[in-house]
Amino acid sequence: LPPSGSWQDLKDHMREAGDVCYADAFKDGTGVVEFLRKEDMKYAVRKLDDTKFRSHEGEVAYIRVKEDNPRSSRSHSGSPKKSRGSPRYSPMRERSYTPY
């Protein structure tokens, strides 16, 4: 992700593939997105890999999208204060990992 890419930008971009229930962007240029349905995650991997991503500040980068193994993914807080998705958040949802 470009330096100014935020979790909101990532969530907006990935909504093209389906219902996003969680998104986070990290300072190292990576991000994590969780979808409500596995099919949406699979579609994101097929259709949004190597696509142009634009941040809210207009910075552009081509992103890589791949399926992440839930056992090796970064941990994140599912607490309501830090949740960036729907209140139905569940750590068991399917994930799509976006490395830089």
Side-chain angles (χ1 to χ4, degrees):
L1 301 175
S4 63
S6 69
W7 66 266
Q8 296 100 325
D9 298 330
L10 183 57
K11 188 171 184 178
D12 289 344
H13 184 79
M14 300 305 278
R15 276 191 184 129
E16 286 184 42
D19 293 324
V20 175
C21 62
Y22 178 87
D24 204 355
F26 305 105
K27 292 181 191 225
D28 66 358
T30 64
V32 173
V33 176
E34 293 184 15
F35 293 90
L36 291 176
R37 289 175 297 280
K38 184 175 185 172
E39 299 79 34
D40 294 345
M41 182 268 304
K42 296 280 189 187
Y43 183 82
V45 170
R46 280 192 325 270
K47 298 296 183 180
L48 296 177
D49 184 39
D50 202 28
T51 57
K52 189 184 290 189
F53 175 92
R54 184 179 306 276
S55 76
H56 64 283
E57 292 184 8
E59 283 187 285
V60 175
Y62 281 86
I63 61 169
R64 300 306 316 242
V65 180
K66 63 182 179 180
E67 184 174 352
D68 192 22
N69 180 343
R71 287 186 278 281
S72 68
S73 64
R74 298 173 191 247
S75 62
H76 62 266
S77 172
S79 68
K81 290 180 184 175
K82 292 189 179 183
S83 178
R84 295 183 174 139
S86 74
R88 298 178 305 209
Y89 168 76
S90 167
M92 299 306 289
R93 297 267 159 55
E94 297 301 321
R95 294 181 183 194
S96 176
Y97 179 64
T98 308
Y100 54 97

